[in-house]
Amino acid sequence: MEHDVLKLENQLCFPLYACSREVVKKYKPYLDEIGLTYTQYIAMMVLWEKKTVNVKSLGESLYLDSGTLTPLLKKMEAMGLVARERSEKDERQLLVSITNKGELLKNQAKTIPARMAACLNLNAEEAGTLYTLLYKTLRTGESS
Amino acid sequence: MEHDVLKLENQLCFPLYACSREVVKKYKPYLDEIGLTYTQYIAMMVLWEKKTVNVKSLGESLYLDSGTLTPLLKKMEAMGLVARERSEKDERQLLVSITNKGELLKNQAKTIPARMAACLNLNAEEAGTLYTLLYKTLRTGESS
DNA sequence: TATAATTAAATTGTTTTCAATTTAAATGAT
DNA sequence: ATCATTTAAATTGAAAACAATTTAATTATA
């Protein structure tokens, strides 16, 4: 009865990986209602809060790089949710700004968090603990 | 100072999604040493334990479907890590079996979990709590 | 038995993600 | 001022993941 360090059920990373994908999948029906993918949804969250961000800082917020964000933002621009324009102060930077249409979407989105939370059957304390541990892990070696 | 339910920092799903990707990225240098991707690595874990599984049950173990697994397993077959053959009892099923070469890889892999754990800076209690909460969330609505 | 329904993989097409490179702009050093 | 370095996005190419469909085999039903 050895403790096998390579057994799937003895890993911490695996439930993290699987849980993340399953939870994102659970969002799909709600996000379909407002025409967003999960990645677009979290990008909109940043924009609902900040109104304008450059790609770099959006990427830092979402832990995504320009390889992911550039096509995502072009599609969101085509959907009329954001505008993209170069910074005048620094032409290297692309400023992404929320449009009126993007602002209006927030009204339709605001019921989603509560409906999702209801899916998860964690109580408030458990959710808080999970949140804290995930952010602690996320901040590990932020330098990478 | 309203509590904005659509603020990124008020979400539980986001650190889950970001943390999962960051942790998988942390595996990369270790997995590169043995020539596996993360998905191949967790598939190997199931095979190191079970020796033979069909695609369906492998998918249930990993929360992945044949659309992901078929190309993954074909590549792993080309790498000589697994063999693929139809079940004689039920020709619909494809049996995936570990090869000698696949078995040997376990020796090289066995140092990985401890080295990864050292990266995460969670103590044993925190890791245990996180593990439990992730599996609780993962099992929510297993019917999906 | 014949037909319908179900199941398991594979396939197709799309999206996401990431690594690595490229391009262009800004900054720093000589 | 010139050249080197750094930085920000974009691009390219590959892998991963998923939805939806297809194919073939099995099981259930009429």
Side-chain angles (χ1 to χ4, degrees), chain A residues 18-62:
Chain A
C19 192
S20 168
R21 288 166 33 240
E22 291 300 307
V23 170
V24 169
K25 257 186 249 180
K26 283 221 181 73
Y27 272 93
K28 189 165 190 303
Y30 304 121
L31 293 176
D32 281 348
E33 291 175 11
I34 61 172
L36 295 180
T37 65
Y38 181 74
T39 316
Q40 289 168 354
Y41 174 63
I42 59 176
M44 287 304 295
M45 282 190 196
V46 174
L47 287 160
W48 284 324
E49 183 183 351
K50 305 253 186 76
K51 310 306 179 194
T52 297
V53 279
N54 61 39
V55 174
K56 174 92 187 307
S57 85
L58 180 60
E60 284 168 356
S61 296
L62 301 181

Side-chain angles (χ1 to χ4, degrees), chain B residues 34-49:
Chain B
I34 61 171
L36 295 180
T37 64
Y38 181 74
T39 315
Q40 290 168 355
Y41 174 61
I42 59 176
M44 288 305 294
M45 282 190 196
V46 174
L47 286 160
W48 284 324
E49 183 185 351

Side-chain angles (χ1 to χ4, degrees), chain B residues 75-88:
Chain B
K75 180 165 298 186
M76 291 169 74
E77 182 181 44
M79 294 163 74
L81 300 175
V82 304
R84 302 183 332 127
E85 58 175 353
R86 289 283 161 182
S87 163
E88 291 192 1

Side-chain angles (χ1 to χ4, degrees), chain A residues 96-113:
Chain A
V96 181
S97 306
I98 194 162
T99 61
N100 284 339
K101 186 176 175 185
E103 291 279 11
L104 289 173
L105 198 64
K106 190 174 181 180
N107 282 316
Q108 296 175 60
K110 68 185 174 195
T111 64
I112 292 179

Side-chain angles (χ1 to χ4, degrees), chain B residues 6-36:
Chain B
L6 284 174
K7 213 169 166 186
L8 191 67
E9 71 181 35
N10 293 331
Q11 310 305 311
L12 179 55
C13 67
F14 171 69
L16 184 59
Y17 160 84
C19 191
S20 168
R21 287 168 31 243
E22 291 300 307
V23 169
V24 168
K25 257 185 248 179
K26 283 220 183 73
Y27 271 92
K28 190 166 190 300
Y30 304 121
L31 293 176
D32 281 349
E33 292 175 11
I34 61 171
L36 295 180

Side-chain angles (χ1 to χ4, degrees), chain A residues 2 4-27 38-39 41-42 45-46 48-49 61-64 106-107 109-110 112-113 119-123 126-127 129-131 133-138 140-141 144, chain B residues 2 4-27 38-39 41-42 45-46 48-49 61-64 106-107 109-110 112-113 119-123 126-127 129-131 133-138 140-141 144:
Chain A
E2 55 165 349
D4 191 336
V5 295
L6 284 174
K7 215 171 166 184
L8 190 68
E9 69 181 36
N10 292 331
Q11 310 305 311
L12 179 55
C13 67
F14 172 69
L16 184 59
Y17 159 83
C19 192
S20 168
R21 288 166 33 240
E22 291 300 307
V23 170
V24 169
K25 257 186 249 180
K26 283 221 181 73
Y27 272 93
Y38 181 74
T39 316
Y41 174 63
I42 59 176
M45 282 190 196
V46 174
W48 284 324
E49 183 183 351
S61 296
L62 301 181
Y63 294 83
L64 291 170
K106 190 174 181 180
N107 282 316
K110 68 185 174 195
I112 292 179
C119 286
L120 290 189
N121 98 348
L122 293 179
N123 63 39
E126 289 168 330
T129 303
L130 182 54
Y131 179 98
L133 289 173
L134 289 171
Y135 267 110
K136 181 168 185 188
T137 306
L138 198 48
T140 301
S144 83
Chain B
E2 55 165 348
D4 191 335
V5 296
L6 284 174
K7 213 169 166 186
L8 191 67
E9 71 181 35
N10 293 331
Q11 310 305 311
L12 179 55
C13 67
F14 171 69
L16 184 59
Y17 160 84
C19 191
S20 168
R21 287 168 31 243
E22 291 300 307
V23 169
V24 168
K25 257 185 248 179
K26 283 220 183 73
Y27 271 92
Y38 181 74
T39 315
Y41 174 61
I42 59 176
M45 282 190 196
V46 174
W48 284 324
E49 183 185 351
S61 295
L62 302 180
Y63 293 81
L64 291 169
K106 190 174 181 180
N107 282 315
K110 67 187 176 193
I112 293 178
C119 286
L120 291 189
N121 99 346
L122 293 179
N123 64 39
E126 290 168 329
T129 303
L130 181 54
Y131 179 97
L133 289 172
L134 289 170
Y135 267 110
K136 181 170 185 187
T137 306
L138 197 49
T140 301
S144 82

